[in-house]
Amino acid sequence: MTALPQLRRQPGFRRFWVASTVSDLGTRISTVAIGVLVVVDLGGSAADVGLVQGATMLPYLAVGLFVGVLADRIRRKPLLVATDLGRAVALGCVPALWALGWLDVPVLVAVMLVFGLLSVLNAAAHQSFLPRLVAREQLHRANVRLDQSDAVAQTSGPLVGGGLVAAIGAPVTILVDALSYAVSGVLTALTPADDPVPERERRSVVAELREGVGWVYRHPTLRPLALGTHGWFLFHAVLNATYVPYALLELRLDAVGLGATFALAGVGALAGSSASERVGGLIGIPAVVTACWLLEAVGFAVIALAGAHDGPVVVVLAAGGQLLYGLGMGLENPITLSYRQALTPDRLQGRMNATIRSFNRAMVVVGAPLGGLLADSAGLRTALWVGVAGIAATGVLLLVSGFRLATHDVGAPGGG
């Protein structure tokens, strides 16, 4: 068998990797900036934070499944380039609207809806593009490399974001993320790839959509993984919508402190992704995913307990909880993503990814506003505990489902 070239020697993957890293860095910077923008600059509540977060995911409900069909019908690279450049323009409108005095929470929600629509189109092609750059045997390692870069961005981005927010304000800081998407679009356009127009018998969009949905939800191991991931996203959205106002209002962290806690999540994610391949091979896919979701629940339980303390211990507990949360995500994400990609034929990659991502994001559309409303009515800490319990429960349920039979050796596409 011919030896496969190392990933760093494959120019297509290398450039795609850099483009993703730049975009990830900008995204992590704006994670801090948007939260501060809503809570501090616009005087928004936890419910407003949830609405803004939910707006980015709402387009998944409207067109998420259909763009999976699109990604399987056309070349994927031009779609990635166009949507990256479009997102750069959308985010660039935020500081412009702020400077004109036209920015408020409803307007920001509208901008994020446009951003979300472009993200739906991009996501359908992004995860489906990687199998065209590397061999199936290299998918796990390639996903680990992408996750390691994202973890580095998650570590440095919030610190940079917190510093920029303190120095130049949240609205202008979001411009950095806009520029990162522009750079990503240019780099992707320059990425060499075998990305032909798919040759396929034309059928109705509905027929192709049903084929993709059927592949996901009829497969004996992919179905429980997809359903478990949907549950995870629901409760993750509750935690996400609650954490920023909890950290700013109850833990009394400033923008720099908030960025520091997010950075510790990045440190954990980097450590987790670096160990993902080894740990997955040692204890198996089902055990890793379940253990990681339980670890993430423990991480946010520590954060919830931080509210009962004062002084420096608050920052230590919040940062430590984010460290555990990031560690779980870093370990689990490359394993589940590579499993999905290796299991699915190329002609179904776009629809498989779009199907799972669409329902995941639908859970965010529900969970983010729900988390904000729960936090406003029952208290920020109560909302955190609901999210903790939910993620722990999804992990336990996944372990006793058909996903317990999943293995690294998926064999030919279609095997479990």
Side-chain angles (χ1 to χ4, degrees), residues 178-231:
L179 293 174
S180 77
Y181 280 115
V183 172
S184 176
V186 171
L187 288 173
T188 302
L190 298 175
T191 297
D194 181 15
D195 185 39
V197 177
E199 295 182 4
R200 54 187 300 130
E201 179 184 350
R202 286 290 183 257
R203 293 179 292 163
S204 72
V205 171
V206 173
E208 293 192 28
L209 187 153
R210 291 177 60 185
E211 183 183 18
V213 172
W215 168 258
V216 172
Y217 294 109
R218 292 175 185 163
H219 195 282
T221 56
L222 191 56
R223 179 183 64 250
L225 174 61
L227 293 174
T229 306
H230 301 338

Side-chain angles (χ1 to χ4, degrees), residues 245-260:
Y246 175 76
L248 293 174
L249 302 176
E250 189 161 324
L251 300 185
R252 304 294 180 183
L253 302 181
D254 58 13
V256 175
L258 177 64

Side-chain angles (χ1 to χ4, degrees), residues 127 143 147 276 328-338 340:
Q127 292 181 346
N143 278 306
D147 270 26
S276 175
M329 291 182 67
L331 275 168
E332 174 263 332
N333 190 62
I335 290 175
T336 54
L337 182 54
S338 302
R340 285 162 38 189

Side-chain angles (χ1 to χ4, degrees), residues 215-388:
W215 168 258
V216 172
Y217 294 109
R218 292 175 185 163
H219 195 282
T221 56
L222 191 56
R223 179 183 64 250
L225 174 61
L227 293 174
T229 306
H230 301 338
W232 184 92
F233 267 86
L234 174 67
F235 295 106
H236 171 76
V238 171
L239 294 172
N240 247 16
T242 307
Y243 179 68
V244 171
Y246 175 76
L248 293 174
L249 302 176
E250 189 161 324
L251 300 185
R252 304 294 180 183
L253 302 181
D254 58 13
V256 175
L258 177 64
T261 64
F262 279 130
L264 263 293
V267 172
L270 179 60
S273 60
S274 299
S276 175
E277 196 170 7
R278 184 170 63 255
V279 174
L282 183 65
I283 67 175
I285 294 174
V288 170
V289 178
T290 296
C292 288
W293 287 0
L294 293 176
L295 181 62
E296 292 159 19
V298 170
F300 258 93
V302 171
I303 292 171
L305 293 171
H309 297 81
D310 296 308
V313 70
V314 170
V315 179
V316 173
L317 289 173
Q322 286 283 5
L323 178 69
L324 294 176
Y325 193 70
L327 179 62
M329 291 182 67
L331 275 168
E332 174 263 332
N333 190 62
I335 290 175
T336 54
L337 182 54
S338 302
Y339 181 75
R340 285 162 38 189
Q341 290 170 331
L343 198 67
T344 303
D346 181 74
R347 68 182 186 84
L348 287 169
Q349 286 282 340
R351 282 167 285 172
M352 178 274 293
N353 284 311
T355 296
I356 294 177
R357 289 180 68 94
S358 293
F359 284 106
N360 285 348
R361 271 56 186 181
M363 295 298 102
V364 176
V365 172
V366 174
L370 181 63
L373 291 171
L374 181 62
D376 287 343
S377 60
L380 291 163
R381 207 180 308 178
T382 298
L384 288 179
W385 283 117
V386 170
V388 166

